Amino acid sequence: MSDPTTTSLPKDNLIQIGLRATGDIHYQLSPEELIRDALRRKEGVLSSTGALVIRTGEFTGRSPKDRYIVKDSITADTIHWNDFNQPMEEKYFHVILNEMTTFLDSRPELWVRDCYVCADPRHRLNIRVVTETPAISLFAYNMFLRPTDEELEHFNPDWRILSAPGLKLDPVACGIRQPNAVVISFRHKMILLAGTGYTGETKKAIFTILNYLLPKEKNILSMHCSANIGREGDTAIFFGLSGTGKTTLSADPQRKLIGDDEHGWTDDNIFNFEGGCYAKCINLKEDKEPEIFQAIRPGALVENIRFYPGTDIINFEDGSITENTRVSYPLSYIGNSLEPSVGDMPKNIFFLTCDAYGVLPPVSRLTPGQAMYQFISGYTAKVAGTETGITEPKPTFSACFGAPFLPLHPGHYAGILGRKMKEHGVKVWMINTGWSGGPYLKGSRIRLAYTRAMITAALEGCLDNVDYDTHSIFGVAMPRTCPGVPGGILNPRNAWPDPAAYDKMASDVASWFINNFKKYEDGVTPEVRNAAPVTGTQK
């Protein structure tokens, strides 16, 4: 095992960003060394499986209201400024950078990791992560792609991340809301993370910059999605918000997993941005999600869980710290993952939604206009158990299934999706994993076996030559038959005991779509606007 206080990283590389680098610099440590350091510093403990377990402190999730993008000549007219993309004057960036470098210089030791994102080498982006904790360095090892020793010899970072979870900023002096902040500067190619130990901020900050650089500069569609590939090279993409079944449905033992969260779509492939998985583990059970369960082993980093009293055995059902319990691990921990994580052009795209109102069809095929409309809408419904405090269904819309991470107008991403869908003849399906025969507590949840059968039928072309009906309000095409699925649920209106009650509920849900979409209408084409649902008063 190498000496953790020696490094081949020239200190000049740190000095040029304002760090004096007077303490011990732990460069490119192995997971075993990082775990040893975390245990030495009492930052975490080992579970019975050998995974490192940590607490992330005050923040157990992202803090969207405390994330800022520096507004300068590069970003002023290109960023879609909104509640997620909050502008920061450049002078405050320099204040925060100075505070961070002063703070990090005061630490007796720092951890530095060189890594990269984008599995397609044509679009690789080198990242250097400088942090005060070995746990965050372990997270970077797990989640990002790992250079070879030969690549490290000539490694030059394109972007740098400074992470100081122990630093509390002065909100007035720094022009921020409270003592924590995530700051992105496209001019300086830096991400500053202060006052938060939640590791997901690191991952999503990188995703945000890719969502700006790839679509804007390379016409690559950046996507918040999972992806897998069949034996014949047929790639499938799965979009879906929390609770829709994205991870479960994309983990198919008959197909190789390209990745579970972030991908790019070029003119000739699909590629994973990351080198790992960051999975929720609340209520995790081996029989339901064996891949994740078995990945919680030495090298994995588990956040904000509790043990059974008097043991080192994880109690996955305990959400007393947070419902957002998480584990990060390398993609190689998944047995059927694809290496390298680059797939062929997609043939099928699935929009997953958990419609708690029993309105949307279990499976429907979308036109390009409808696909762009539904993509921008990013609809699902949160139900009890999805988040703390949710006791009844709550409609949720997140543009492109990832609104907090989109620096550009959602119409920009939807436009690329529409062009690629048309150019390559990609089929887009909407899959409702929610309720049928009535709303939440009245109808019944669509069986997972039926959902899997619908996806399999779409992948195998079994829905290409069947008869379809058109939904009277949403206009989507509903197959009359599907192998392995009772015909009585394929048209949702027929599954309700009271068709008039269905019509009323469908009209209500349609009105939510229409009202949500108003804020995007100016940035989309007539083809997209015309794909909106039609309420009873409009027909």
Side-chain angles (χ1 to χ4, degrees):
M1 198 172 286
S2 62
D3 179 358
T5 64
T6 60
T7 174
S8 60
L9 173 72
K11 290 195 174 183
D12 289 349
N13 284 288
L14 301 180
I15 293 171
Q16 67 184 355
I17 58 172
L19 287 165
R20 295 196 308 273
T22 55
D24 289 334
I25 306 298
H26 305 285
Y27 178 64
Q28 219 69 6
L29 297 195
S30 68
E32 294 79 11
E33 292 170 316
L34 292 169
I35 291 170
R36 183 190 66 192
D37 282 357
L39 296 174
R40 167 175 61 84
R41 291 162 50 91
K42 296 181 170 54
E43 290 179 7
V45 296
L46 293 181
S47 75
S48 60
T49 69
L52 179 66
V53 176
I54 65 167
R55 299 279 182 89
T56 61
E58 178 184 357
F59 296 97
T60 58
R62 292 181 301 103
S63 184
K65 293 183 179 180
D66 300 303
R67 196 197 71 163
Y68 305 88
I69 297 177
V70 178
K71 190 173 184 178
D72 53 30
S73 58
I74 295 175
T75 60
D77 298 325
T78 55
I79 297 292
H80 183 229
W81 302 107
N82 53 31
D83 291 342
F84 297 120
N85 300 318
Q86 301 176 105
M88 171 178 280
E89 293 182 54
E90 191 166 10
K91 65 179 182 180
Y92 291 122
F93 167 81
H94 291 293
V95 171
I96 295 173
L97 176 60
N98 182 66
E99 290 291 315
M100 292 197 70
T101 54
T102 300
F103 175 84
L104 291 172
D105 276 332
S106 72
R107 305 298 93 185
E109 50 189 340
L110 296 176
W111 284 261
V112 180
R113 175 154 304 282
D114 286 340
C115 44
Y116 67 98
V117 289
C118 299
D120 185 331
R122 299 172 299 179
H123 310 297
R124 172 173 171 162
L125 200 71
N126 285 343
I127 309 293
R128 175 163 293 154
V129 182
V130 181
T131 178
E132 62 170 310
T133 74
I136 289 177
S137 191
L138 177 62
F139 178 83
Y141 174 89
N142 285 345
M143 292 309 303
F144 302 133
L145 292 155
R146 295 160 283 279
T148 64
D149 290 342
E150 292 75 18
E151 290 171 332
L152 286 171
E153 292 179 5
H154 306 286
F155 189 94
N156 290 307
D158 299 301
W159 277 73
R160 294 175 174 85
I161 298 175
L162 299 187
S163 174
L167 172 63
K168 302 299 181 184
L169 299 170
D170 180 343
V172 175
C174 296
I176 56 180
R177 188 178 70 101
Q178 56 184 28
N180 61 291
V182 176
V183 183
I184 299 171
S185 172
F186 284 93
R187 169 173 289 169
H188 299 92
K189 297 184 177 180
M190 293 185 72
I191 296 168
L192 309 180
L193 299 122
T196 175
Y198 180 62
T199 59
E201 294 281 23
T202 304
K203 163 188 165 70
K204 291 307 184 186
I206 289 294
F207 187 41
T208 298
I209 68 170
L210 292 175
N211 282 335
Y212 180 88
L213 297 173
L214 295 179
K216 186 174 181 297
E217 297 180 359
K218 298 186 176 184
N219 198 36
I220 293 172
L221 179 59
S222 53
M223 304 176 293
H224 191 205
C225 68
S226 59
N228 63 27
I229 187 168
R231 294 186 178 93
E232 303 301 320
D234 55 312
T235 298
I237 298 172
F238 298 80
F239 291 95
L241 301 176
S242 178
T244 60
K246 176 165 65 78
T247 300
T248 300
L249 292 168
S250 61
D252 185 336
Q254 304 303 316
R255 299 172 65 84
K256 290 281 189 179
L257 181 69
I258 300 173
D260 81 330
D261 200 41
E262 301 171 4
H263 295 82
W265 184 355
T266 73
D267 289 335
D268 55 18
N269 69 18
I270 295 290
F271 66 90
N272 194 350
F273 288 167
E274 301 178 304
C277 300
Y278 190 45
K280 283 188 175 181
C281 49
I282 190 71
N283 298 319
L284 180 65
K285 291 181 173 60
E286 185 172 15
D287 59 336
K288 290 188 176 180
E289 294 184 288
E291 295 86 0
I292 298 174
F293 192 92
Q294 293 162 12
I296 299 178
R297 59 183 198 249
L301 179 66
V302 185
E303 300 174 1
N304 302 314
I305 56 85
R306 291 191 187 277
F307 297 118
Y308 287 105
T311 77
D312 56 3
I313 300 172
I314 297 172
N315 181 0
F316 291 110
E317 295 181 358
D318 190 331
S320 58
I321 299 174
T322 177
E323 292 284 315
N324 189 37
T325 53
R326 294 272 183 171
V327 57
S328 67
Y329 49 86
L331 192 63
S332 60
Y333 279 25
I334 300 296
N336 69 330
S337 61
L338 185 67
E339 178 63 35
S341 48
V342 180
D344 294 337
M345 293 293 282
K347 294 185 178 180
N348 292 278
I349 296 174
F350 298 95
F351 294 162
L352 307 176
T353 177
C354 177
D355 176 27
Y357 305 95
V359 166
L360 295 178
V363 56
S364 54
R365 185 166 174 177
L366 311 183
T367 66
Q370 291 168 344
M372 288 184 276
Y373 184 93
Q374 293 295 333
F375 186 58
I376 292 176
S377 297
Y379 166 73
T380 194
K382 294 179 180 178
V383 296
T386 304
E387 288 183 6
T388 302
I390 299 292
T391 57
E392 60 183 33
K394 179 182 178 182
T396 301
F397 295 90
S398 183
C400 308
F401 301 94
F405 323 116
L406 304 181
L408 306 176
H409 190 287
H412 188 95
Y413 306 95
I416 299 177
L417 172 69
R419 288 195 297 273
K420 289 182 177 295
M421 182 181 172
K422 294 173 184 176
E423 288 172 6
H424 303 288
V426 182
K427 291 172 282 191
V428 179
W429 310 88
M430 185 161 60
I431 302 289
N432 175 16
T433 63
W435 270 256
S436 176
Y440 179 71
L441 295 182
K442 292 185 178 180
S444 57
R445 188 81 188 256
I446 298 169
R447 291 176 55 184
L448 178 60
Y450 295 160
T451 301
R452 290 192 185 279
M454 296 172 207
I455 290 174
T456 298
L459 291 172
E460 294 180 352
C462 298
L463 300 181
D464 291 350
N465 299 306
V466 300
D467 293 329
Y468 283 80
D469 292 319
T470 300
H471 195 280
S472 61
I473 292 178
F474 283 85
V476 296
M478 305 175 294
R480 293 182 180 176
T481 60
C482 178
V485 181
I489 71 169
L490 293 174
N491 185 325
R493 189 174 190 270
N494 296 341
W496 278 52
D498 183 353
Y502 172 84
D503 293 339
K504 172 65 169 60
M505 182 63 75
S507 184
D508 288 345
V509 173
S511 68
W512 301 336
F513 272 82
I514 292 166
N515 290 333
N516 170 73
F517 204 84
K518 288 178 180 177
K519 56 181 173 285
Y520 304 121
E521 286 179 343
D522 292 341
V524 302
T525 64
E527 179 186 18
V528 180
R529 290 194 295 270
N530 292 337
V534 180
T535 63
T537 58
Q538 294 174 306
K539 289 191 288 185

